[in-house]
Structures are given as structure tokens and as C-alpha cells.
Amino acid sequence: LQNMGQISIQLYKDNKGFYYSKAAFLELESISNGNCSFIFEQLDFWFEKWNKREEFILHASKNWKTETVPYMTYVLSEYGDDAERYIEYIKGLQEEVFIHGDFTLDNVKKSGEKIIILDFETAAIGPKLWDKTTFVYSLIENGCHNLGIELFNYFKCDKQMLECIAAVRLAIAKRKNKNITQRDAAYYFIQNMKKER
């Protein structure tokens, strides 16, 4: 994506020696001309392997129904708008596959020549599209609307799930009093996405 001019990335080093990326997105024209189809296919391939590999499933650290759902219910009840609608939706989701639970750009880092994924504290057996939709949300939150929409369509994400993730992340931001403006903008952008997307 960086080579294609869709993303500008800066690497930083933390106190443990890991490099982490901060992506400054470039809002370019829509990429529906197919330039990113190979990247999308690769993402889809790895998500599918991730969801089905037994070693991941055996190490899921949380229970979706007894830990993740109650936490999201709490933050939505205390800090969210239209909380009841989102809470009902979350409670109706099925535990289907291994999910990272917080698969955003901030949790993808570089160590030497390897790309590593961090922050598995919310890993669980959860809804199938959760990680893909969270990744799409992460793109939108960082201002890469065109790429987010393209990937949303490619993954056949559920708009209600995307709205729910946006609502939960905005509620968490309000709870922590951090990143509220950025997440508020993402929430309203997603609310106004056309239904066919």
C-alpha cells in the first residue's frame, strides 16, 4: 500500500526494541480500478487461515459471551449513544472462529524483518467478520475512507457490525477521555455510509 501511494508510514522504536508503525493516510481517488486486488486477496487468505488454525483456537484467552460482550455492554451503557440497539446486536452475535478482537493498524508492528501482531488480550472465539470489520474501521478512523470502503466491500462486511464497532470504540474513547474527536468523526462517517456499502 505504501509503494502504491495509498499510505505513508513512519516507523518508531519503543523501549522494548520493537518498531511500530504510524500510518498517515493519503486520501486519494477510489482504488476500485483493481490496483489493490492482490493485497485484498492476501489479507483475506491470512484471515481465513487465522480463523481456522487450531493452535490459535486453543489459545483464545477470552470468552466472547462471558467477558467481551459484558465489557462492551458496560462501555456502551455508560458512554455510548443509542446503546440499547448496539447491545442487542452484540448479544446476538455467534461465537464462530478465532478472532484477535482488536485487529487495528496500531497492533501491527515490525521487529527486524518480521511483521508481528500484538495485543492479543481480547482474543476469543467470536463472530467471523469481527477482525475484518475492525480492520476496516481502523482504516476509516485514520482517515483512509476510500480504502476502508473498498475493503469493506471486498470482505462483504456487515454495516451493522461496522456501526457497532465504531460505537464501542467511541464509547471506550469517552471512557478514557482520549481520541474522542477522531473516533467521533469515524462514527459519523460510518453512520452516513450508503446502505448498499
Side-chain angles (χ1 to χ4, degrees), residues 10-22 106-119:
Q10 294 178 318
L11 290 177
Y12 300 89
K13 194 173 186 177
D14 67 15
N15 58 4
K16 294 181 181 176
F18 288 114
Y19 287 93
Y20 64 95
S21 60
K22 286 290 181 186
D106 289 338
N107 290 327
V108 179
K109 302 191 180 190
K110 186 173 185 286
S111 177
E113 294 301 311
K114 293 183 178 179
I115 300 297
I116 58 174
I117 298 166
L118 302 177
D119 195 11

Side-chain angles (χ1 to χ4, degrees), residues 126-153:
K128 186 172 184 182
L129 286 173
W130 193 264
D131 282 343
K132 291 178 179 181
T133 309
T134 300
F135 190 72
V136 167
Y137 169 82
S138 176
L139 292 169
I140 292 170
E141 181 185 300
N142 283 281
C144 193
H145 300 142
N146 289 339
L147 184 57
I149 290 169
E150 293 290 334
L151 201 52
F152 175 89
N153 290 327

Side-chain angles (χ1 to χ4, degrees), residues 65-182:
K65 293 286 186 190
T66 61
E67 295 178 56
T68 307
V69 171
Y71 174 71
M72 288 191 281
T73 298
Y74 160 72
V75 294
L76 285 167
S77 297
E78 294 294 318
Y79 303 95
D81 298 326
D82 203 7
E84 286 304 315
R85 178 168 70 103
Y86 297 121
I87 290 168
E88 183 180 334
Y89 176 77
I90 290 168
K91 287 182 176 179
L93 293 172
Q94 300 301 309
E95 298 170 323
E96 301 172 282
V97 295
F98 173 88
I99 61 169
H100 178 282
D102 190 23
F103 193 72
T104 64
L105 290 164
D106 289 338
N107 290 327
V108 179
K109 302 191 180 190
K110 186 173 185 286
S111 177
E113 294 301 311
K114 293 183 178 179
I115 300 297
I116 58 174
I117 298 166
L118 302 177
D119 195 11
F120 280 83
E121 67 183 55
T122 55
I125 304 303
K128 186 172 184 182
L129 286 173
W130 193 264
D131 282 343
K132 291 178 179 181
T133 309
T134 300
F135 190 72
V136 167
Y137 169 82
S138 176
L139 292 169
I140 292 170
E141 181 185 300
N142 283 281
C144 193
H145 300 142
N146 289 339
L147 184 57
I149 290 169
E150 293 290 334
L151 201 52
F152 175 89
N153 290 327
Y154 179 83
F155 284 154
K156 297 180 173 63
C157 292
D158 180 295
K159 185 168 187 286
Q160 193 172 3
M161 184 179 284
L162 183 60
E163 289 178 6
C164 182
I165 289 168
V168 168
R169 294 185 72 86
L170 178 57
I172 291 169
K174 289 177 180 178
R175 179 176 179 259
K176 294 180 177 179
N177 197 25
K178 184 178 176 185
N179 298 331
I180 296 171
T181 303
Q182 183 181 14

